[in-house]
Amino acid sequence: MWSPATIATRLWLERVVIGLSLCPWAKPVHERGGVKYAHTRTEVPDTLFDCVLKELDLLSAGNAETTLVVASQAFQDDFLSFNHFVQDVEEYLRQEALDDKFQVVGFHPRFQFADEDASDASNFVNRSPYPAIHLLRQEQMSESIDAQPKLAESVPFSNQRMLRKLGAEHMARLLSGVKRDSGALSMRLRDDELAIASSRAAAVPWIRAAC
């Protein structure tokens, strides 16, 4: 349940996404315990697809504010196939008329923008320690953007400038660090320590097994 992959994803959210302010809206959701981490070890795309649908149902039922499905064994070194998988999920949402309800965002260790070189540091805005699919409520996203439209418009450009200033080597060290620290942390934490940590979170526990 308390896998290194899940812990690494949380550390990545804290140190990279929030720590570098890549997403200004992530911190308040994280601090009130609204992020659910659902880890699956499946390598089979169809099984992962079913897992994502299950998590969408739970999200719709109010299980969490937002969900990160961590697929530690799927598409590990194959970003193109992972990207096609995310596109398949998006197409399913459109076909089922759910695209106005949910949004999906893919994160991958080898994420690459179509118009950028693989070595460009700006790719790290969507690079994560393990493949992950972020499930968001469209309504919540729209409310956040509508409340700060100028901020929403400026974030992609400010992220690009900052990441390029920090450099790809620095960002790669950050990702390596969260994976290293997650392994040590998972070895060290005991069930009673985890129970204490969970009790300090809000109503939604920050780690759950998936599929």
Side-chain angles (χ1 to χ4, degrees):
M1 181 177 179
W2 303 91
S3 68
T6 314
I7 297 173
T9 302
R10 178 179 170 117
L11 291 177
W12 162 74
L13 178 71
E14 293 174 341
R15 298 180 184 178
V16 180
V17 179
I18 296 175
L20 298 179
S21 297
L22 296 179
C23 177
W25 303 278
K27 185 176 180 179
V29 179
H30 168 69
E31 289 183 341
R32 61 177 175 260
V35 182
K36 175 184 173 183
Y37 300 78
H39 180 211
T40 174
R41 293 181 174 85
T42 185
E43 300 177 18
V44 182
D46 286 348
T47 305
L48 178 57
F49 195 91
D50 290 341
C51 180
V52 170
L53 296 187
K54 171 188 171 184
E55 291 302 326
L56 284 170
D57 285 341
L58 292 172
L59 188 61
S60 180
N63 186 259
E65 289 186 54
T66 188
T67 301
L68 275 165
V69 179
V70 183
S72 59
Q73 304 301 315
F75 309 111
Q76 292 183 64
D77 299 312
D78 189 351
F79 169 65
L80 288 180
S81 295
F82 174 78
N83 196 44
H84 290 151
F85 176 85
V86 174
Q87 291 172 350
D88 288 342
V89 176
E90 291 174 331
E91 179 60 27
Y92 171 85
L93 293 178
R94 284 191 290 270
Q95 291 178 356
E96 298 297 317
L98 293 171
D99 55 324
D100 62 342
K101 188 173 182 179
F102 299 111
Q103 182 178 339
V104 296
V105 180
F107 295 91
H108 192 276
R110 298 191 177 186
F111 179 91
Q112 181 181 349
F113 288 110
D115 56 348
E116 298 293 354
D117 187 81
S119 62
D120 194 301
S122 66
N123 292 311
F124 279 90
V125 74
N126 279 63
R127 286 191 181 177
S128 54
Y130 295 93
I133 301 162
H134 192 188
L135 310 178
L136 305 105
R137 301 172 187 269
Q138 194 70 264
E139 181 180 5
Q140 187 176 14
M141 283 294 300
S142 298
E143 289 176 354
S144 298
I145 292 172
D146 291 344
Q148 297 175 296
K150 290 185 178 180
L151 177 62
E153 185 178 343
S154 67
V155 163
F157 302 102
S158 60
N159 282 345
Q160 184 182 67
R161 288 194 299 270
M162 178 185 61
L163 290 171
R164 285 176 174 170
K165 183 177 180 179
L166 291 172
E169 290 186 6
H170 176 82
M171 295 305 302
R173 286 195 297 271
L174 282 181
L175 287 191
S176 296
V178 299
K179 292 186 75 171
R180 179 192 64 240
D181 293 347
S182 68
L185 186 59
S186 66
M187 294 279 292
R188 205 166 61 239
L189 289 176
R190 301 189 304 272
D191 286 345
D192 57 339
E193 292 173 321
L194 292 169
I196 292 171
S198 293
S199 69
R200 290 173 180 165
V204 182
W206 60 270
I207 291 181
R208 293 176 186 258
C211 305

